């Protein structure tokens, strides 16, 4: 159990198939690869990089834009697929990180290292918000395509609420590193997006 990787090649392949599913315009393999690249860049800051990598691979494994329980179902899949590959406590940390992507609020861990890993993981998931204006606009368009079934007025109202929720937070990013790198740009991008929605 100790020497086996949490996410081996067969499991990566199995998950990649899910991420290549129909209707995934943003929550795709490219999103996972972007997060894995960030995890690699910040590897020295992670206490348990393998657990974070596992959370990245599983966090959007189940994605249906019409459903409200994607995170819980993704966490359940992680629990099922990773059972026997690690201890229950570590698996609990991984599933808690996945579930936390529903709100992007930190899970409650007693262990400071686990909190730090979760903070970095959640920040990696939101790094797109602080991307260049072009990349952010492409992300917004991709998410809109995922919600193609939602009529425009409903989409605008829903997106407006999401953006205002993030902009209303004292900090969008949990860690100092990501705040310095992405916070200002993220606020600019989202403010611009709100203006474009015509509801601000």
């Amino acid at each position: 159990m100790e020497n086996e990787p949490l996410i081996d090649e067969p499991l990566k392949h199995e998950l990649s198939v899910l991420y290549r599913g129909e209707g995934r315009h943003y929550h795709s393999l490219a999103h996972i690869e972007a997060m894995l690249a960030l995890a690699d860049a910040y590897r020295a800051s992670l206490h348990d990089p393998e657990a974070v990598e596992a959370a990245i691979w599983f966090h959007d494994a189940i994605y249906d834009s019409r459903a409200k329980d994607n995170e819980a179902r993704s966490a359940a899949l992680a629990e099922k697929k990773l059972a026997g590959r690690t201890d229950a406590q570590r698996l609990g940390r991984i599933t808690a990180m996945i579930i936390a992507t529903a709100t992007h609020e930190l899970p409650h861990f007693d262990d400071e290292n686990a909190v730090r890993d979760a903070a970095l993981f959640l920040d990696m998931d939101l790094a797109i918000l602080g991307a260049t204006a072009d990349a952010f606009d492409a992300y917004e368009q991709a998410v809109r395509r995922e919600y193609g079934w939602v009529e425009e007025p409903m989409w605008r109202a829903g997106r407006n609420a999401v953006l205002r929720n993030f902009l209303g937070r004292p900090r969008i990013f949990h860690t100092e590193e990501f705040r310095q790198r992405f916070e200002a740009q993220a606020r600019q991008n989202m403010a611009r997006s709100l203006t474009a929605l015509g509801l601000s």
Side-chain angles (χ1 to χ4, degrees):
M1 192 163 77
E2 287 304 306
N3 299 325
E4 274 186 46
L6 266 178
I7 306 276
D8 57 18
E9 290 307 315
L11 188 49
K12 282 181 188 176
H13 177 74
E14 194 180 328
L15 291 167
S16 296
V17 171
L18 293 177
Y19 284 107
R20 289 195 185 100
E22 202 182 334
R24 285 179 180 257
H25 303 287
Y26 173 70
H27 294 88
S28 63
L29 204 51
H31 170 53
I32 301 308
E33 286 165 353
M35 284 184 72
L36 290 170
L38 282 169
D40 200 44
Y42 289 90
R43 194 174 179 89
S45 301
L46 293 169
H47 175 67
D48 187 350
E50 269 214 319
V52 170
E53 185 189 352
I56 289 170
W57 269 105
F58 277 100
H59 83 286
D60 286 325
I62 307 292
Y63 184 76
D64 172 3
S65 65
R66 294 172 189 262
K68 299 277 187 222
D69 62 348
N70 290 318
E71 296 83 7
R73 287 169 63 206
S74 296
L77 183 68
E79 212 158 10
K80 181 179 159 191
K81 296 289 182 185
L82 299 176
R85 294 187 186 219
T86 189
D87 61 83
Q89 191 178 13
R90 192 176 183 216
L91 188 49
R93 288 201 307 272
I94 293 166
T95 56
M97 283 193 275
I98 295 166
I99 289 165
T101 60
T103 59
H104 281 92
E105 286 165 11
L106 281 174
H108 297 290
F109 293 133
D110 294 334
D111 178 353
E112 278 178 36
N113 289 324
V115 174
R116 167 95 176 134
D117 279 2
L120 282 161
F121 162 73
L122 291 173
D123 284 357
M124 289 169 199
D125 192 28
L126 291 185
I128 187 65
L129 298 179
T132 62
D134 287 352
F136 177 82
D137 290 347
Y139 146 75
E140 289 252 287
Q141 286 159 16
V143 173
R144 179 64 182 109
R145 286 171 71 199
E146 290 182 340
Y147 284 85
W149 56 275
V150 179
E151 290 182 21
E152 192 64 18
M154 287 292 290
W155 164 257
R156 284 173 180 259
R159 195 66 187 160
N160 181 63
V162 168
L163 293 170
R164 285 189 186 280
N165 174 288
F166 279 118
L167 282 170
R169 297 181 181 199
R171 301 186 193 92
I172 295 164
F173 296 96
H174 295 288
T175 64
E176 190 58 40
E177 300 96 309
F178 276 71
R179 277 200 293 276
Q180 286 180 5
R181 186 173 171 185
F182 295 116
E183 184 92 18
Q185 182 67 43
R187 289 188 179 276
Q188 279 176 26
N189 285 336
M190 289 194 286
R192 191 166 44 79
S193 187
L194 273 179
T195 304
L197 286 170
L199 297 172
S200 51

